[in-house]
Amino acid sequence: MEKEDWMREALLEAEKAGAIGEVPIGAIVVQAGKIIGRGHNLREATQDATAHAEMIAIREACEATGSWRLENAQLYVTLEPCPMCSGAMILSRVTEVYFGASDPKGGTAGTLMNLLTDDRFNHVAAVEGGILAAECGQILSNFFRELRERKKAARKKNTSNSLENKVE
Amino acid sequence: MEKEDWMREALLEAEKAGAIGEVPIGAIVVQAGKIIGRGHNLREATQDATAHAEMIAIREACEATGSWRLENAQLYVTLEPCPMCSGAMILSRVTEVYFGASDPKGGTAGTLMNLLTDDRFNHVAAVEGGILAAECGQILSNFFRELRERKKAARKKNTSNSLENKVE
C-alpha cells in the first residue's frame, strides 16, 4: 500500500470524529504492513484533554503489541501533531511519521518547530508532511464552516425569539 | 499548604512507582486547595508509552472535574516534564506548573526549551522549577544506582555460572 492509501485510513478515522461533533482528526499506526492502532479525536465526548487521535492510536498499538516500543512502525495522522502527540511519538519510538495538513497554530513537526527531528531527545523519527494535504485540510475547514453556520443560525433564532417576547 | 507540601505528595507518588520497579516519578494536580488527580510512572507495568505520571494525573483530574479544562489548577511533578507531558499541560490549560529536579536530557519546561511559556501555543502556564529539587533528584539517582548494582550482580552470577558449567 502507498502512503496515500494509509492516509485514507486515517481520514476514515477523522470522519468518525466529525460525525459525532468532534474536530475531525484521525490517526493510524502501521507495523509490518498492518494497522495496529486507530484513533480519532474524542476530547469533547470524553472530556479528556489528552484524547487526541494520535494518543489513542499509539495506546491501542502498544496494547496490541504488548510493548511500549513501536519500533519499525509508521504513524499517519491527518493534521500535523501538537507537542503532546509529537512527544508521544518520540517516547513510543515510531520510525516514520506522515501527516496531511500543516497546522500553522500549533504544529510541532515542522511548522512552529520540529520536535520529532530534534536529536537532543533520545529518539528521532523521519517526518513527511503533505500526504493528501487537500483532503485532510478540507474535512477540517468544512467542519469549522458548518460550526460557524450553526452558531450564526442559533444566534439569529435567539434574537428573533427575544424580539417576539418583547412584542408579546 | 506550601509548594513544598504539595511536592511531598508528588514524591509519595514517585515512591509508589519506585516500589514496583518503575522509574520513580510522581505528579499531582491541585485545584481550589484539593488534590484532584494523582499519578506515577507506569510505563513498564502497562507497556504503554504514554503512561507518564503527569498524563495519569491530568486524565484523573479531567475525570474528577468532568472537564478537559483544568483552569486555575496547579500541577506538581518531581521531574521536569518531557514534550508529551508539557503538551498535555498546555492542552488542559493548567495555570501553574511546579517541578522538582531538572531534566538535562529531555526537560521542556526550561532546560532544552520551554514549551509551557511559548506564546505561539494557545495557552501559556507559569512555571517554577527546583521545588524540593534535592529530594526529587535523589529518589531518581538512588533508583538508577540500585539498578546498576543489580545488573552488575546478575552479570557476575552469570559469568560464574558459565565458568562452573565449563569446569563441569
Side-chain angles (χ1 to χ4, degrees), chain A residues 43-44 47-50 52 55 58-59 62-63 66-69 82-84 87-88 90-93 105-106 108 112-113 115 118 120-121, chain B residues 43-44 47-50 52 55 58-59 62-63 66-69 82-84 87-88 90-92 105-106 108 112-113 115 118 120-121:
Chain A
R43 187 180 65 171
E44 300 303 328
Q47 287 295 314
D48 172 0
T50 75
H52 279 193
M55 300 298 285
I58 287 171
R59 296 181 72 194
C62 289
E63 207 179 326
S67 172
W68 60 260
R69 293 174 188 85
C82 75
M84 175 182 70
I90 296 170
L91 291 170
S92 60
R93 304 188 185 172
K105 288 184 185 172
T108 56
L112 299 186
M113 61 187 75
L115 292 169
D118 187 330
R120 294 175 299 171
F121 299 117
Chain B
R43 187 180 67 172
E44 300 303 328
Q47 287 294 313
D48 172 0
T50 75
H52 278 194
M55 299 300 284
I58 287 171
R59 297 180 73 195
C62 289
E63 207 178 327
S67 171
W68 60 261
R69 292 174 188 85
C82 74
M84 174 182 71
I90 297 170
L91 292 170
S92 60
K105 287 185 186 170
T108 56
L112 298 186
M113 61 186 76
L115 293 169
D118 188 330
R120 294 174 300 172
F121 298 117

Short mmCIF file of all heavy atoms in Angstrom, two decimals, chain A residues 43-44 47-50 52 55 58-59 62-63 66-69 82-84 87-88 90-93 105-106 108 112-113 115 118 120-121, chain B residues 43-44 47-50 52 55 58-59 62-63 66-69 82-84 87-88 90-92 105-106 108 112-113 115 118 120-121:
data_model
loop_
_atom_site.label_atom_id
_atom_site.label_comp_id
_atom_site.label_asym_id
_atom_site.label_seq_id
_atom_site.Cartn_x
_atom_site.Cartn_y
_atom_site.Cartn_z
N ARG A 43 -11.94 14.46 22.36
CA ARG A 43 -11.80 15.37 23.51
C ARG A 43 -13.13 15.75 24.13
O ARG A 43 -13.28 15.73 25.36
CB ARG A 43 -11.06 16.64 23.08
CG ARG A 43 -10.75 17.52 24.28
CD ARG A 43 -10.03 18.78 23.90
NE ARG A 43 -10.86 19.65 23.08
CZ ARG A 43 -10.52 20.90 22.75
NH1 ARG A 43 -9.37 21.38 23.15
NH2 ARG A 43 -11.31 21.63 22.00
N GLU A 44 -14.12 16.09 23.31
CA GLU A 44 -15.40 16.55 23.87
C GLU A 44 -16.18 15.37 24.47
O GLU A 44 -16.73 15.48 25.56
CB GLU A 44 -16.23 17.27 22.81
CG GLU A 44 -15.54 18.52 22.22
CD GLU A 44 -15.14 19.57 23.26
OE1 GLU A 44 -15.85 19.70 24.28
OE2 GLU A 44 -14.11 20.25 23.06
N GLN A 47 -14.27 14.38 27.52
CA GLN A 47 -13.81 15.49 28.37
C GLN A 47 -12.42 15.19 28.95
O GLN A 47 -12.12 15.49 30.11
CB GLN A 47 -14.83 15.79 29.49
CG GLN A 47 -16.08 16.49 28.97
CD GLN A 47 -15.82 17.89 28.41
OE1 GLN A 47 -15.12 18.69 29.01
NE2 GLN A 47 -16.35 18.17 27.22
N ASP A 48 -11.60 14.57 28.10
CA ASP A 48 -10.22 14.25 28.47
C ASP A 48 -9.30 15.06 27.55
O ASP A 48 -9.33 14.88 26.34
CB ASP A 48 -10.00 12.74 28.31
CG ASP A 48 -8.55 12.31 28.48
OD1 ASP A 48 -7.68 13.17 28.74
OD2 ASP A 48 -8.28 11.10 28.34
N ALA A 49 -8.52 15.97 28.15
CA ALA A 49 -7.65 16.85 27.37
C ALA A 49 -6.63 16.09 26.54
O ALA A 49 -6.09 16.62 25.57
CB ALA A 49 -6.92 17.83 28.30
N THR A 50 -6.35 14.85 26.91
CA THR A 50 -5.30 14.08 26.22
C THR A 50 -5.85 13.17 25.12
O THR A 50 -5.09 12.43 24.50
CB THR A 50 -4.47 13.23 27.21
OG1 THR A 50 -5.24 12.09 27.62
CG2 THR A 50 -4.05 14.01 28.44
N HIS A 52 -6.45 12.93 22.05
CA HIS A 52 -6.18 13.22 20.65
C HIS A 52 -6.09 11.91 19.87
O HIS A 52 -5.72 10.87 20.42
CB HIS A 52 -4.87 14.00 20.52
CG HIS A 52 -5.00 15.48 20.77
ND1 HIS A 52 -4.02 16.37 20.45
CD2 HIS A 52 -6.02 16.20 21.32
CE1 HIS A 52 -4.42 17.61 20.80
NE2 HIS A 52 -5.62 17.53 21.32
N MET A 55 -2.81 9.93 20.22
CA MET A 55 -2.60 9.29 21.53
C MET A 55 -3.39 7.99 21.60
O MET A 55 -2.90 6.98 22.10
CB MET A 55 -3.08 10.22 22.65
CG MET A 55 -2.37 11.54 22.71
SD MET A 55 -0.59 11.42 23.02
CE MET A 55 -0.59 11.02 24.75
N ILE A 58 -1.73 5.41 19.37
CA ILE A 58 -0.47 4.91 19.96
C ILE A 58 -0.77 3.96 21.12
O ILE A 58 -0.17 2.88 21.23
CB ILE A 58 0.43 6.10 20.43
CG1 ILE A 58 1.03 6.81 19.21
CG2 ILE A 58 1.52 5.63 21.39
CD1 ILE A 58 1.76 8.11 19.54
N ARG A 59 -1.72 4.33 21.97
CA ARG A 59 -2.04 3.48 23.12
C ARG A 59 -2.62 2.14 22.65
O ARG A 59 -2.31 1.09 23.21
CB ARG A 59 -3.02 4.19 24.06
CG ARG A 59 -2.38 5.46 24.67
CD ARG A 59 -3.33 6.16 25.61
NE ARG A 59 -3.49 5.39 26.83
CZ ARG A 59 -4.44 5.61 27.73
NH1 ARG A 59 -5.34 6.54 27.52
NH2 ARG A 59 -4.50 4.87 28.81
N CYS A 62 0.28 0.06 21.38
CA CYS A 62 1.07 -0.50 22.50
C CYS A 62 0.34 -1.72 23.07
O CYS A 62 0.96 -2.75 23.36
CB CYS A 62 1.27 0.54 23.60
SG CYS A 62 2.41 1.88 23.16
N GLU A 63 -0.97 -1.59 23.22
CA GLU A 63 -1.77 -2.68 23.78
C GLU A 63 -1.74 -3.89 22.83
O GLU A 63 -1.57 -5.03 23.28
CB GLU A 63 -3.20 -2.20 24.02
CG GLU A 63 -3.88 -2.96 25.14
CD GLU A 63 -5.29 -2.48 25.41
OE1 GLU A 63 -5.55 -1.27 25.25
OE2 GLU A 63 -6.13 -3.33 25.75
N GLY A 66 1.72 -5.36 22.97
CA GLY A 66 2.22 -5.68 24.32
C GLY A 66 3.53 -5.02 24.64
O GLY A 66 4.27 -5.46 25.52
N SER A 67 3.83 -3.92 23.95
CA SER A 67 5.11 -3.23 24.17
C SER A 67 4.96 -1.73 23.98
O SER A 67 4.27 -1.27 23.07
CB SER A 67 6.15 -3.76 23.18
OG SER A 67 7.33 -2.97 23.25
N TRP A 68 5.69 -0.96 24.84
CA TRP A 68 5.65 0.50 24.64
C TRP A 68 6.57 0.92 23.50
O TRP A 68 6.56 2.07 23.09
CB TRP A 68 5.98 1.24 25.94
CG TRP A 68 7.33 0.97 26.55
CD1 TRP A 68 7.61 0.13 27.59
CD2 TRP A 68 8.58 1.58 26.19
NE1 TRP A 68 8.95 0.15 27.88
CE2 TRP A 68 9.58 1.04 27.05
CE3 TRP A 68 8.98 2.52 25.24
CZ2 TRP A 68 10.92 1.40 26.97
CZ3 TRP A 68 10.32 2.88 25.15
CH2 TRP A 68 11.26 2.32 26.02
N ARG A 69 7.36 -0.02 22.98
CA ARG A 69 8.28 0.33 21.88
C ARG A 69 7.64 -0.01 20.55
O ARG A 69 7.48 -1.18 20.22
CB ARG A 69 9.58 -0.46 22.01
CG ARG A 69 10.45 -0.12 23.20
CD ARG A 69 11.62 -1.08 23.26
NE ARG A 69 12.39 -0.95 24.48
CZ ARG A 69 12.10 -1.54 25.63
NH1 ARG A 69 11.04 -2.33 25.72
NH2 ARG A 69 12.88 -1.37 26.69
N CYS A 82 0.55 18.13 17.56
CA CYS A 82 0.83 19.13 18.60
C CYS A 82 2.01 18.63 19.45
O CYS A 82 2.49 17.52 19.26
CB CYS A 82 -0.43 19.30 19.46
SG CYS A 82 -0.72 17.92 20.60
N PRO A 83 2.48 19.44 20.42
CA PRO A 83 3.62 18.99 21.25
C PRO A 83 3.35 17.68 21.99
O PRO A 83 4.22 16.80 22.02
CB PRO A 83 3.80 20.14 22.25
CG PRO A 83 3.22 21.34 21.59
CD PRO A 83 2.09 20.84 20.75
N MET A 84 2.14 17.52 22.55
CA MET A 84 1.83 16.29 23.29
C MET A 84 1.99 15.07 22.38
O MET A 84 2.65 14.08 22.76
CB MET A 84 0.41 16.32 23.87
CG MET A 84 0.00 15.02 24.54
SD MET A 84 -1.70 15.05 25.17
CE MET A 84 -2.66 15.04 23.65
N GLY A 87 5.47 14.40 21.23
CA GLY A 87 6.20 13.82 22.35
C GLY A 87 5.90 12.34 22.51
O GLY A 87 6.81 11.53 22.76
N ALA A 88 4.63 11.96 22.35
CA ALA A 88 4.25 10.55 22.46
C ALA A 88 4.88 9.72 21.35
O ALA A 88 5.24 8.56 21.54
CB ALA A 88 2.73 10.42 22.44
N ILE A 90 7.83 10.38 19.98
CA ILE A 90 9.23 10.21 20.37
C ILE A 90 9.33 9.09 21.41
O ILE A 90 10.15 8.18 21.29
CB ILE A 90 9.79 11.53 20.98
CG1 ILE A 90 9.82 12.65 19.93
CG2 ILE A 90 11.20 11.31 21.55
CD1 ILE A 90 10.12 14.04 20.49
N LEU A 91 8.46 9.14 22.42
CA LEU A 91 8.52 8.16 23.52
C LEU A 91 8.25 6.74 23.04
O LEU A 91 8.82 5.78 23.56
CB LEU A 91 7.51 8.53 24.61
CG LEU A 91 7.82 9.80 25.40
CD1 LEU A 91 6.63 10.17 26.26
CD2 LEU A 91 9.07 9.63 26.27
N SER A 92 7.34 6.60 22.07
CA SER A 92 6.99 5.25 21.61
C SER A 92 7.91 4.80 20.47
O SER A 92 7.77 3.68 19.97
CB SER A 92 5.53 5.22 21.16
OG SER A 92 5.32 6.13 20.10
N ARG A 93 8.82 5.70 20.08
CA ARG A 93 9.87 5.35 19.11
C ARG A 93 9.35 4.92 17.74
O ARG A 93 9.94 4.02 17.09
CB ARG A 93 10.81 4.28 19.68
CG ARG A 93 11.41 4.72 21.00
CD ARG A 93 12.48 3.80 21.50
NE ARG A 93 12.93 4.22 22.84
CZ ARG A 93 13.75 3.53 23.60
NH1 ARG A 93 14.23 2.37 23.18
NH2 ARG A 93 14.11 3.97 24.79
N LYS A 105 -1.02 26.96 13.65
CA LYS A 105 -1.20 27.43 15.03
C LYS A 105 -0.47 26.60 16.08
O LYS A 105 -0.18 27.10 17.16
CB LYS A 105 -2.70 27.47 15.37
CG LYS A 105 -3.44 28.60 14.66
CD LYS A 105 -4.88 28.66 15.11
CE LYS A 105 -5.66 29.69 14.32
NZ LYS A 105 -7.10 29.60 14.61
N GLY A 106 -0.24 25.32 15.78
CA GLY A 106 0.33 24.50 16.85
C GLY A 106 1.16 23.32 16.38
O GLY A 106 1.54 22.47 17.18
N THR A 108 4.03 20.90 15.50
CA THR A 108 5.41 20.77 16.01
C THR A 108 6.16 19.65 15.28
O THR A 108 7.03 18.98 15.85
CB THR A 108 5.42 20.53 17.53
OG1 THR A 108 4.62 19.37 17.83
CG2 THR A 108 4.89 21.73 18.27
N LEU A 112 5.86 25.17 13.62
CA LEU A 112 6.40 26.06 14.67
C LEU A 112 7.80 25.62 15.09
O LEU A 112 8.63 26.44 15.47
CB LEU A 112 5.47 26.09 15.89
CG LEU A 112 4.04 26.60 15.69
CD1 LEU A 112 3.33 26.70 17.03
CD2 LEU A 112 4.03 27.96 15.01
N MET A 113 7.99 24.32 15.07
CA MET A 113 9.29 23.72 15.41
C MET A 113 9.21 22.28 14.93
O MET A 113 8.16 21.85 14.44
CB MET A 113 9.54 23.77 16.93
CG MET A 113 8.52 23.02 17.77
SD MET A 113 8.70 23.23 19.56
CE MET A 113 8.07 24.89 19.82
N LEU A 115 9.86 18.85 16.78
CA LEU A 115 10.28 18.05 17.94
C LEU A 115 10.76 16.67 17.51
O LEU A 115 11.63 16.08 18.15
CB LEU A 115 9.11 17.92 18.93
CG LEU A 115 8.67 19.21 19.64
CD1 LEU A 115 7.35 18.99 20.39
CD2 LEU A 115 9.75 19.68 20.63
N ASP A 118 14.47 16.59 16.49
CA ASP A 118 15.40 17.26 17.42
C ASP A 118 16.25 16.19 18.10
O ASP A 118 15.76 15.44 18.95
CB ASP A 118 14.57 18.06 18.44
CG ASP A 118 15.44 18.93 19.34
OD1 ASP A 118 16.62 18.55 19.59
OD2 ASP A 118 14.96 19.97 19.79
N ARG A 120 18.31 16.13 20.36
CA ARG A 120 18.60 16.19 21.79
C ARG A 120 17.72 15.21 22.55
O ARG A 120 18.02 14.83 23.67
CB ARG A 120 18.40 17.62 22.31
CG ARG A 120 19.41 18.60 21.71
CD ARG A 120 19.11 20.01 22.13
NE ARG A 120 17.80 20.46 21.68
CZ ARG A 120 17.23 21.59 22.06
NH1 ARG A 120 17.84 22.39 22.92
NH2 ARG A 120 16.05 21.94 21.59
N PHE A 121 16.60 14.80 21.95
CA PHE A 121 15.75 13.78 22.59
C PHE A 121 16.30 12.39 22.25
O PHE A 121 17.09 12.25 21.31
CB PHE A 121 14.30 13.93 22.13
CG PHE A 121 13.71 15.26 22.50
CD1 PHE A 121 13.30 16.16 21.53
CD2 PHE A 121 13.58 15.63 23.83
CE1 PHE A 121 12.80 17.40 21.87
CE2 PHE A 121 13.07 16.87 24.19
CZ PHE A 121 12.67 17.77 23.20
N ARG B 43 5.02 3.07 32.97
CA ARG B 43 5.34 2.64 31.61
C ARG B 43 5.60 1.15 31.49
O ARG B 43 5.10 0.48 30.58
CB ARG B 43 6.55 3.41 31.07
CG ARG B 43 6.80 3.11 29.60
CD ARG B 43 7.98 3.86 29.07
NE ARG B 43 9.23 3.40 29.67
CZ ARG B 43 10.43 3.79 29.26
NH1 ARG B 43 10.54 4.65 28.27
NH2 ARG B 43 11.53 3.34 29.84
N GLU B 44 6.39 0.60 32.40
CA GLU B 44 6.74 -0.82 32.28
C GLU B 44 5.56 -1.72 32.65
O GLU B 44 5.26 -2.69 31.95
CB GLU B 44 7.95 -1.15 33.15
CG GLU B 44 9.21 -0.37 32.80
CD GLU B 44 9.68 -0.52 31.36
OE1 GLU B 44 9.47 -1.60 30.78
OE2 GLU B 44 10.22 0.45 30.80
N GLN B 47 3.11 -1.25 29.84
CA GLN B 47 3.69 -1.28 28.48
C GLN B 47 2.99 -0.27 27.58
O GLN B 47 2.73 -0.52 26.40
CB GLN B 47 3.64 -2.70 27.89
CG GLN B 47 4.65 -3.64 28.53
CD GLN B 47 6.11 -3.26 28.25
OE1 GLN B 47 6.48 -2.97 27.12
NE2 GLN B 47 6.93 -3.21 29.30
N ASP B 48 2.68 0.89 28.17
CA ASP B 48 2.05 1.99 27.44
C ASP B 48 3.03 3.16 27.45
O ASP B 48 3.38 3.69 28.52
CB ASP B 48 0.73 2.36 28.15
CG ASP B 48 0.08 3.61 27.59
OD1 ASP B 48 0.62 4.22 26.64
OD2 ASP B 48 -0.99 3.98 28.11
N ALA B 49 3.48 3.55 26.24
CA ALA B 49 4.50 4.61 26.12
C ALA B 49 4.01 5.94 26.70
O ALA B 49 4.82 6.81 27.02
CB ALA B 49 4.88 4.80 24.65
N THR B 50 2.71 6.12 26.82
CA THR B 50 2.17 7.40 27.27
C THR B 50 1.88 7.43 28.78
O THR B 50 1.38 8.44 29.29
CB THR B 50 0.87 7.77 26.51
OG1 THR B 50 -0.21 6.98 27.01
CG2 THR B 50 1.01 7.57 25.01
N HIS B 52 3.03 8.23 31.56
CA HIS B 52 3.84 9.05 32.46
C HIS B 52 2.98 9.56 33.61
O HIS B 52 1.76 9.72 33.46
CB HIS B 52 4.42 10.25 31.68
CG HIS B 52 5.65 9.93 30.89
ND1 HIS B 52 6.47 10.89 30.37
CD2 HIS B 52 6.20 8.73 30.55
CE1 HIS B 52 7.48 10.31 29.73
NE2 HIS B 52 7.33 9.00 29.81
N MET B 55 0.60 12.50 32.85
CA MET B 55 -0.54 12.16 31.98
C MET B 55 -1.64 11.50 32.81
O MET B 55 -2.83 11.79 32.64
CB MET B 55 -0.10 11.18 30.88
CG MET B 55 0.96 11.71 29.96
SD MET B 55 0.47 13.19 29.06
CE MET B 55 -0.61 12.49 27.81
N ILE B 58 -3.27 14.13 35.03
CA ILE B 58 -4.13 15.03 34.24
C ILE B 58 -5.43 14.33 33.85
O ILE B 58 -6.52 14.88 33.97
CB ILE B 58 -3.38 15.56 32.98
CG1 ILE B 58 -2.32 16.59 33.39
CG2 ILE B 58 -4.35 16.16 31.96
CD1 ILE B 58 -1.38 17.01 32.27
N ARG B 59 -5.31 13.09 33.40
CA ARG B 59 -6.51 12.35 33.00
C ARG B 59 -7.44 12.12 34.19
O ARG B 59 -8.67 12.21 34.06
CB ARG B 59 -6.13 11.02 32.34
CG ARG B 59 -5.33 11.23 31.05
CD ARG B 59 -4.97 9.93 30.39
NE ARG B 59 -6.15 9.34 29.78
CZ ARG B 59 -6.21 8.07 29.38
NH1 ARG B 59 -5.18 7.27 29.56
NH2 ARG B 59 -7.32 7.62 28.83
N CYS B 62 -9.19 15.42 34.90
CA CYS B 62 -10.27 15.67 33.92
C CYS B 62 -11.49 14.84 34.29
O CYS B 62 -12.63 15.34 34.25
CB CYS B 62 -9.82 15.31 32.51
SG CYS B 62 -8.59 16.44 31.80
N GLU B 63 -11.26 13.60 34.67
CA GLU B 63 -12.37 12.72 35.02
C GLU B 63 -13.07 13.22 36.29
O GLU B 63 -14.30 13.25 36.35
CB GLU B 63 -11.84 11.29 35.22
CG GLU B 63 -12.90 10.25 34.93
CD GLU B 63 -12.40 8.83 35.09
OE1 GLU B 63 -11.22 8.57 34.82
OE2 GLU B 63 -13.21 7.97 35.52
N GLY B 66 -14.93 16.38 35.37
CA GLY B 66 -15.84 16.25 34.23
C GLY B 66 -15.54 17.26 33.13
O GLY B 66 -16.41 17.57 32.32
N SER B 67 -14.32 17.75 33.08
CA SER B 67 -13.97 18.76 32.08
C SER B 67 -12.52 18.62 31.64
O SER B 67 -11.63 18.35 32.45
CB SER B 67 -14.16 20.16 32.67
OG SER B 67 -13.64 21.13 31.78
N TRP B 68 -12.29 18.84 30.33
CA TRP B 68 -10.90 18.80 29.86
C TRP B 68 -10.15 20.09 30.20
O TRP B 68 -8.94 20.17 30.03
CB TRP B 68 -10.81 18.49 28.37
CG TRP B 68 -11.48 19.45 27.43
CD1 TRP B 68 -12.71 19.30 26.84
CD2 TRP B 68 -10.96 20.69 26.94
NE1 TRP B 68 -12.98 20.37 26.03
CE2 TRP B 68 -11.93 21.24 26.06
CE3 TRP B 68 -9.77 21.39 27.14
CZ2 TRP B 68 -11.75 22.47 25.41
CZ3 TRP B 68 -9.60 22.62 26.49
CH2 TRP B 68 -10.57 23.14 25.63
N ARG B 69 -10.89 21.09 30.69
CA ARG B 69 -10.24 22.37 31.03
C ARG B 69 -9.90 22.38 32.52
O ARG B 69 -10.80 22.46 33.36
CB ARG B 69 -11.18 23.53 30.75
CG ARG B 69 -11.49 23.78 29.29
CD ARG B 69 -12.55 24.85 29.17
NE ARG B 69 -13.04 25.03 27.82
CZ ARG B 69 -14.02 24.30 27.26
NH1 ARG B 69 -14.60 23.34 27.95
NH2 ARG B 69 -14.40 24.54 26.03
N CYS B 82 8.61 16.14 30.01
CA CYS B 82 9.04 15.87 28.64
C CYS B 82 8.08 16.60 27.67
O CYS B 82 7.08 17.17 28.11
CB CYS B 82 9.01 14.36 28.39
SG CYS B 82 7.33 13.69 28.21
N PRO B 83 8.35 16.56 26.35
CA PRO B 83 7.44 17.25 25.41
C PRO B 83 5.99 16.76 25.50
O PRO B 83 5.06 17.58 25.48
CB PRO B 83 8.03 16.91 24.03
CG PRO B 83 9.46 16.61 24.28
CD PRO B 83 9.53 15.99 25.65
N MET B 84 5.79 15.44 25.62
CA MET B 84 4.41 14.94 25.69
C MET B 84 3.66 15.53 26.88
O MET B 84 2.53 16.03 26.73
CB MET B 84 4.39 13.41 25.80
CG MET B 84 2.99 12.83 26.01
SD MET B 84 2.99 11.03 26.19
CE MET B 84 3.75 10.83 27.81
N GLY B 87 3.08 19.23 26.65
CA GLY B 87 1.98 19.44 25.70
C GLY B 87 0.62 19.19 26.34
O GLY B 87 -0.33 19.94 26.11
N ALA B 88 0.52 18.15 27.15
CA ALA B 88 -0.75 17.84 27.84
C ALA B 88 -1.11 18.95 28.83
O ALA B 88 -2.28 19.25 29.04
CB ALA B 88 -0.65 16.49 28.54
N ILE B 90 -0.35 22.14 28.41
CA ILE B 90 -0.87 23.24 27.58
C ILE B 90 -2.31 22.95 27.19
O ILE B 90 -3.19 23.80 27.34
CB ILE B 90 0.00 23.41 26.28
CG1 ILE B 90 1.44 23.80 26.64
CG2 ILE B 90 -0.62 24.43 25.34
CD1 ILE B 90 2.42 23.74 25.45
N LEU B 91 -2.57 21.73 26.72
CA LEU B 91 -3.91 21.38 26.24
C LEU B 91 -4.96 21.42 27.35
O LEU B 91 -6.11 21.77 27.11
CB LEU B 91 -3.89 19.98 25.62
CG LEU B 91 -3.12 19.83 24.31
CD1 LEU B 91 -2.99 18.36 23.96
CD2 LEU B 91 -3.79 20.59 23.17
N SER B 92 -4.56 21.04 28.56
CA SER B 92 -5.53 21.01 29.66
C SER B 92 -5.59 22.36 30.38
O SER B 92 -6.37 22.53 31.32
CB SER B 92 -5.17 19.90 30.65
OG SER B 92 -3.88 20.11 31.18
N LYS B 105 18.39 15.85 29.97
CA LYS B 105 18.29 15.06 28.73
C LYS B 105 17.00 15.31 27.94
O LYS B 105 16.94 15.09 26.75
CB LYS B 105 18.37 13.56 29.06
CG LYS B 105 19.77 13.14 29.44
CD LYS B 105 19.84 11.65 29.63
CE LYS B 105 21.20 11.21 30.14
NZ LYS B 105 21.18 9.81 30.55
N GLY B 106 15.92 15.72 28.64
CA GLY B 106 14.67 15.85 27.91
C GLY B 106 13.70 16.88 28.45
O GLY B 106 12.54 16.92 28.02
N THR B 108 11.49 20.00 29.00
CA THR B 108 10.98 21.03 28.08
C THR B 108 10.16 22.08 28.83
O THR B 108 9.21 22.64 28.31
CB THR B 108 10.12 20.38 26.96
OG1 THR B 108 9.07 19.61 27.57
CG2 THR B 108 10.96 19.49 26.06
N LEU B 112 15.86 22.17 27.90
CA LEU B 112 16.15 22.14 26.46
C LEU B 112 15.40 23.24 25.72
O LEU B 112 15.86 23.78 24.72
CB LEU B 112 15.78 20.78 25.86
CG LEU B 112 16.53 19.54 26.38
CD1 LEU B 112 16.15 18.32 25.57
CD2 LEU B 112 18.04 19.75 26.35
N MET B 113 14.21 23.52 26.21
CA MET B 113 13.34 24.58 25.66
C MET B 113 12.26 24.80 26.70
O MET B 113 12.22 24.11 27.72
CB MET B 113 12.73 24.15 24.32
CG MET B 113 11.85 22.91 24.41
SD MET B 113 11.27 22.29 22.80
CE MET B 113 12.73 21.49 22.15
N LEU B 115 8.32 24.80 26.45
CA LEU B 115 7.07 24.73 25.69
C LEU B 115 5.93 25.43 26.43
O LEU B 115 5.02 25.97 25.82
CB LEU B 115 6.70 23.26 25.44
CG LEU B 115 7.62 22.47 24.50
CD1 LEU B 115 7.29 20.98 24.54
CD2 LEU B 115 7.51 22.98 23.06
N ASP B 118 5.77 29.23 25.74
CA ASP B 118 5.86 29.63 24.33
C ASP B 118 4.50 30.17 23.90
O ASP B 118 3.54 29.41 23.74
CB ASP B 118 6.27 28.38 23.50
CG ASP B 118 6.56 28.72 22.05
OD1 ASP B 118 5.96 29.68 21.51
OD2 ASP B 118 7.39 28.02 21.44
N ARG B 120 3.23 31.05 21.25
CA ARG B 120 2.65 30.67 19.95
C ARG B 120 1.58 29.60 20.13
O ARG B 120 0.73 29.41 19.27
CB ARG B 120 3.75 30.18 19.00
CG ARG B 120 4.74 31.29 18.62
CD ARG B 120 5.88 30.74 17.80
NE ARG B 120 6.63 29.72 18.52
CZ ARG B 120 7.59 28.96 17.98
NH1 ARG B 120 7.87 29.09 16.70
NH2 ARG B 120 8.24 28.08 18.70
N PHE B 121 1.60 28.89 21.26
CA PHE B 121 0.55 27.91 21.54
C PHE B 121 -0.63 28.64 22.18
O PHE B 121 -0.48 29.76 22.68
CB PHE B 121 1.08 26.80 22.45
CG PHE B 121 2.20 26.02 21.82
CD1 PHE B 121 3.47 26.02 22.38
CD2 PHE B 121 1.99 25.31 20.65
CE1 PHE B 121 4.51 25.33 21.78
CE2 PHE B 121 3.02 24.61 20.04
CZ PHE B 121 4.29 24.63 20.61
#
